[in-house]
Amino acid sequence: MIAGGGLVVLFALGPQATGQGGGVEGQANGEGEVAPGLPGSLGQHPVLDSWIRVAADGQVTVFTGKAELGQGIKTAIVQLAADELDIGLDRLTLVTADTHSSPDEGLTAGSHSMEDSGTAVANAAANVRHLLAEQTARLWDVPVASLSTRNGQVTDGNGRTLDYGAIAANLSLHVPARLDIPRKPIGARRLIGKHLPRIDIPAKLTGGTAYVHDMKLPGMLHARVVRGPAEGTQLIDPDVAAMAGLPGVDRVVSEGRFIALLGRREWPLVQALRILGQLEWERPGEPIPTGDRAAVVKGLSPRVEPILDRQDESGGEAVRWVAARYTRPWLMHGAIGPSCAVALLEDGIMTIWTHSQGVNPLRGAIAEMLGMPPERVRCVHVEGSGCYGHNGADDVAADAALAARAVPGRPVRMLWSREQEHGWEPLGPAQVVELRGGLDAVGRIIAWNHQVWSNTHVTRPSRAGDLIAAQELGRGFTPASPRSLPQPEGGGDRNSIPLYALANARVTKHFLQDMPLRVSAIRSLGAHMNVFAIESFMDELALATRSDPVAFRLRHMADMRARTVIERTADRFAWGRRTPGTLRGHGFAFARYKNLGAFCAIAMDVEVLRDSGRVVVHRAVASVDSGDIVNPDGIRNQIEGGILQSISWTGHEAVAYDERSRTSYDWSVYPILRFEDVPLSVEVDLVDRPGQPFLGTGEAAQGPAAAAYANAIAAATGRRLREMPLTDDAIRTRR
């Protein structure tokens, strides 16, 4: 079992993880475990050579099924592995999300990367370090407890050392991980908990090869897909022969309704698409319902799903009731770079370089579309320039594969236009939340009712029919039925169960199977909306009882880690010790992401400009408890970015559409946060808990930031806005 003197001769890639086919967005734990009890994704892939390879020269390769999306996972995984293995960073190579080499960890989603993959890599590395020491103890005939590891070597402390590469000549890692192997003591850590510069940043900063868009392969052709203006539309009798005659078009790939233009240069294809932009199109089926957002959403034939029914009649009677309705529009991912993929059919293998967040589910869907065995389709993750959630990455990968099949041996780079990205990507669903709270005579919440209306939040490809190109082929491929993601993480109901101590609480999800616009996952799923509603409502209840908003939250919060981040944020912000001026207000909000991940509290200081209604965020302060911190700067990056993205969603973004199709085809019709609207100051306080489990942080800020922003505007203007986006016009009108 030894190859080339190294530790690994094969990869034991166990049963497919359940991130897409199973229950939870991005989760790799639970159903499908082959080794219950092992931490993180080791439960699905317990054999060590699925994760770590040590070569004869001492170089180590680490494999993860999670993808780098700009969240810094590469850097954190490298830190974990290098620290637990006791090797230098120069001796470690990381491979991410490749269907032919890395373990199948489902989707990179749901803030599961550190919980699942980071935990697996750390424990696998500890196992490997222990096996290296055990093998050395056998060679030297000494107790393993007398040995230690340092800088890629095992030593007895008396001058005798053996390099990991030399040990590898007589050892295989094709063995299951052991649960009884401890990780390094906290005091012996060298890299975990320290700032390590992001390894993915230099190429992005210097204009190097950072994204799939930047790939250049020998003989590569460029490609553009020809479609109607938005999802659901179809071209009427396109003239394929005329397309082939356009300047710069070397080949037209046409099958069913799928049409792609191929050429040696990119710009002529862009010009060809502009010419073809005048083609006639239609949208079969029912018109898109328009009008009042809440009425549209609530009118989509809901399926009622009870989520929580907690009753304790000993709490007494409510003497006052408060009710409110909150809404969110359809949202775009707004990736700065339109979706792109590169595909190559060579020697019977279809290789696709893609920025999909789920390379294994995508491989299965594309294999079905092409009629190829899945083992002859390879999906390799390469970063895309912007996206958290399900945008056009999977669809453009399918487009590239169909185009590449027509030109075997030639790589094909398929790039969507900006208009196609805005017109065809799946959207974050519109949502409605209605809340009703009962207060007793002393101003305590004794009854809580939360109802949320939402479409599914996951239509990521698990079969061919989930891909636009497959639907166009005319072979009967149909999309999977929309599904409701279950608690404890949920989809549209994510974070709908409040963490506050409420004796009587009822939560109901109204799952909407009808989808007038194409929807799927956008960062934080339903948490953005539900936390916005809950934390806005907490302020409304505090106002009704004439209570300070922070004191009101603490009065209803028993969880000590939650109380810590609330108190630390209030203290750093100097909450209650600063009096805002005219049209200036302070807002506060808290949530624990999914009630399972990171704890996050945020306070904001905003000013509303009198004439324009424009909101200036002077200061945002956050406190975050992510459990054990691997890279502090990485967590700060995530919270800072989450705050900015949430302000953009909450204050600026909404997809425009009419009865025929979407109309938000570019940035002029879909405004996002501009530089002049970025907070003047963002401070992130980290609560480190060494040795505690990693808590997902990538989506922790979206909900609290939205509510803190809304609460600050309400404090500044004296008027509550409940319909997102809270635009300048809406603020000026309501003021």
Side-chain angles (χ1 to χ4, degrees):
M1 296 181 68
I2 299 172
L7 283 175
V8 179
V9 296
L10 56 89
F11 291 96
L13 304 181
Q16 180 163 322
T18 60
Q20 174 63 27
V24 180
E25 168 89 349
Q27 188 172 7
N29 280 331
E31 182 183 346
E33 283 189 321
V34 297
L38 287 175
S41 296
L42 279 177
Q44 284 73 39
H45 307 283
V47 180
L48 293 176
D49 63 11
S50 300
W51 302 94
I52 295 174
R53 173 178 183 172
V54 180
D57 61 359
Q59 289 295 121
V60 175
T61 304
V62 174
F63 299 85
T64 172
K66 298 298 185 181
E68 176 65 65
L69 310 173
Q71 82 278 40
I73 190 64
K74 281 184 178 178
T75 309
I77 293 290
V78 163
Q79 284 180 257
L80 275 173
D83 210 335
E84 290 291 345
L85 284 168
D86 266 335
I87 61 171
L89 295 171
D90 59 331
R91 298 181 65 174
L92 190 147
T93 300
L94 180 67
V95 175
T96 66
D98 182 337
T99 58
H100 274 35
S101 60
S102 59
D104 177 4
E105 294 190 82
L107 299 169
T108 303
S111 296
H112 273 281
S113 292
M114 289 304 294
E115 288 184 47
D116 292 347
S117 200
T119 298
V121 167
N123 284 276
N127 267 265
V128 169
R129 177 169 42 84
H130 183 79
L131 288 178
L132 291 165
E134 278 189 331
Q135 178 68 6
T136 305
R138 285 192 289 270
L139 291 172
W140 291 347
D141 194 22
V142 299
V144 67
S146 68
L147 303 178
S148 60
T149 55
R150 183 179 66 249
N151 196 27
Q153 296 180 323
V154 178
T155 177
D156 65 359
N158 296 313
R160 186 163 52 166
T161 62
L162 193 59
D163 189 82
Y164 286 177
I167 306 170
N170 298 290
L171 185 66
S172 169
L173 286 184
H174 191 62
V175 295
R178 288 164 47 185
L179 187 59
D180 62 340
I181 302 300
R183 290 179 53 191
K184 283 177 64 174
I186 293 171
R189 293 175 171 180
R190 298 176 299 108
L191 297 171
I192 298 172
K194 305 293 193 299
H195 168 62
L196 184 70
R198 286 264 296 271
I199 60 180
D200 61 310
I201 292 297
K204 297 172 182 176
L205 185 65
T206 60
T209 303
Y211 303 115
V212 65
H213 307 66
D214 303 321
M215 288 184 64
K216 296 178 181 178
L217 299 178
M220 187 172 76
L221 295 172
H222 296 276
R224 290 292 189 277
V225 67
V226 181
R227 289 196 172 105
E231 50 93 11
T233 64
Q234 298 178 10
L235 297 177
I236 301 174
D237 297 326
D239 189 339
V240 175
M243 294 180 190
L246 292 172
V249 176
D250 295 338
R251 180 164 185 164
V252 177
V253 178
S254 175
E255 186 173 353
R257 288 187 288 107
F258 175 82
I259 303 173
L261 311 180
L262 278 62
R264 286 163 290 178
R265 295 174 55 236
E266 183 174 16
W267 181 243
L269 300 181
V270 175
Q271 293 175 306
L273 273 191
R274 290 179 178 174
I275 294 171
L276 298 175
Q278 304 304 313
L279 291 175
E280 290 187 82
W281 57 273
E282 62 183 0
R283 187 182 193 275
E286 297 294 322
I288 301 171
T290 59
D292 177 74
R293 184 188 305 150
V296 168
V297 172
K298 293 180 68 175
L300 295 175
S301 302
R303 184 179 74 208
V304 179
E305 299 179 5
I307 302 300
L308 174 71
D309 191 358
R310 181 194 303 148
Q311 298 186 35
D312 181 359
E313 297 181 0
S314 64
E317 294 287 333
V319 299
R320 183 174 182 182
W321 290 90
V322 178
R325 172 190 289 171
Y326 307 88
T327 69
R328 183 181 91 158
W330 282 275
L331 295 175
M332 280 185 188
H333 297 85
I336 299 303
S339 295
C340 181
V342 177
L344 170 64
L345 177 61
E346 191 169 51
D347 299 327
I349 301 292
M350 177 67 76
T351 302
I352 306 153
W353 292 269
T354 169
H355 56 107
S356 167
Q357 292 178 222
V359 291
N360 284 280
L362 177 61
R363 175 179 68 167
I366 289 181
E368 181 187 358
M369 179 187 73
L370 298 176
M372 297 177 67
E375 61 271 17
R376 302 195 74 81
V377 176
R378 179 184 184 186
C379 290
V380 183
H381 184 269
V382 184
E383 281 192 76
S385 56
C387 174
Y388 291 92
H390 177 197
N391 70 339
D394 300 274
D395 291 303
V396 79
D399 293 345
L402 278 179
R405 185 173 64 172
V407 286
R410 297 287 300 272
V412 174
R413 175 183 178 268
M414 176 70 73
L415 178 67
W416 277 7
S417 68
R418 168 56 53 195
E419 293 78 11
Q420 288 171 339
E421 184 75 22
H422 280 221
W424 287 87
E425 68 147 73
L427 306 173
Q431 293 181 259
V432 174
V433 170
E434 293 183 354
L435 284 165
R436 188 167 184 262
L439 299 164
D440 65 12
V442 296
R444 191 173 186 89
I445 305 170
I446 62 168
W448 183 278
N449 187 288
H450 182 123
Q451 298 189 79
V452 54
W453 285 260
S454 177
N455 286 131
T456 182
H457 283 250
V458 56
T459 58
R460 295 180 188 270
S462 59
R463 51 197 271 186
D466 299 322
L467 300 166
I468 296 170
Q471 295 172 25
E472 294 173 333
L473 292 179
R475 296 187 198 157
F477 292 125
T478 57
S481 298
R483 56 195 179 93
S484 175
L485 296 177
Q487 287 287 333
E489 300 199 5
D493 56 321
R494 181 167 291 181
N495 270 101
S496 61
I497 300 175
L499 199 63
Y500 296 105
L502 305 172
N504 296 280
R506 178 172 294 170
V507 178
T508 305
K509 173 166 61 175
H510 301 264
F511 180 65
L512 310 174
Q513 293 182 291
D514 296 336
M515 295 183 290
L517 295 171
R518 187 186 186 205
V519 297
S520 191
I522 200 168
R523 196 177 189 186
S524 82
L525 304 192
H528 170 246
M529 178 60 194
N530 285 305
V531 176
F532 169 81
I534 290 170
E535 290 296 295
S536 294
F537 196 58
M538 287 295 288
D539 259 37
E540 297 200 51
L541 292 174
L543 180 64
T545 61
R546 298 184 179 180
S547 301
D548 173 79
V550 172
F552 187 75
R553 285 171 171 79
L554 290 171
R555 187 180 183 189
H556 293 87
M557 180 57 69
D559 188 298
M560 294 309 298
R561 291 175 74 167
R563 291 181 66 90
T564 296
V565 298
I566 291 172
E567 290 168 346
R568 286 176 65 141
T569 300
D571 184 62
R572 291 177 70 90
F573 189 80
W575 184 271
R577 300 195 297 273
R578 296 182 180 180
T579 303
T582 304
L583 290 180
R584 190 157 176 173
H586 297 164
F588 195 95
F590 158 82
R592 182 182 186 188
Y593 182 52
K594 300 183 293 189
N595 290 350
L596 299 169
F599 300 80
C600 180
I602 296 175
M604 284 194 196
D605 172 9
V606 312
E607 180 181 5
V608 176
L609 301 186
R610 182 175 299 278
D611 293 333
S612 65
R614 176 171 168 258
V615 178
V616 177
V617 181
H618 288 277
R619 186 172 177 235
V621 174
S623 185
V624 184
D625 178 351
S626 300
D628 199 352
I629 294 176
V630 176
N631 189 314
D633 193 57
I635 291 179
R636 288 192 177 94
N637 292 163
Q638 287 297 283
I639 299 301
E640 290 170 0
I643 289 171
L644 268 62
Q645 185 179 50
S646 188
I647 291 173
S648 186
W649 286 348
T650 309
H652 300 267
E653 299 183 35
V655 173
Y657 61 95
D658 57 27
E659 291 185 349
R660 300 183 72 205
S661 71
R662 305 181 200 177
T663 56
S664 294
Y665 294 135
D666 57 29
W667 298 119
S668 67
V669 193
Y670 189 79
I672 60 174
L673 191 73
R674 303 286 178 168
F675 283 113
E676 63 264 24
D677 297 315
V678 169
L680 303 180
S681 170
V682 179
E683 307 164 39
V684 181
D685 165 52
L686 303 183
V687 182
D688 192 11
R689 298 190 183 275
Q692 291 293 311
F694 304 127
L695 299 180
T697 307
E699 299 158 288
Q702 274 66 22
Y709 184 75
N711 290 336
I713 291 171
T717 63
R719 297 288 186 273
R720 171 65 58 176
L721 296 177
R722 302 185 183 92
E723 291 192 11
M724 292 188 269
L726 316 182
T727 62
D728 299 356
D729 287 343
I731 293 169
R732 186 174 63 250
T733 302
R734 288 295 301 275
R735 196 182 71 239

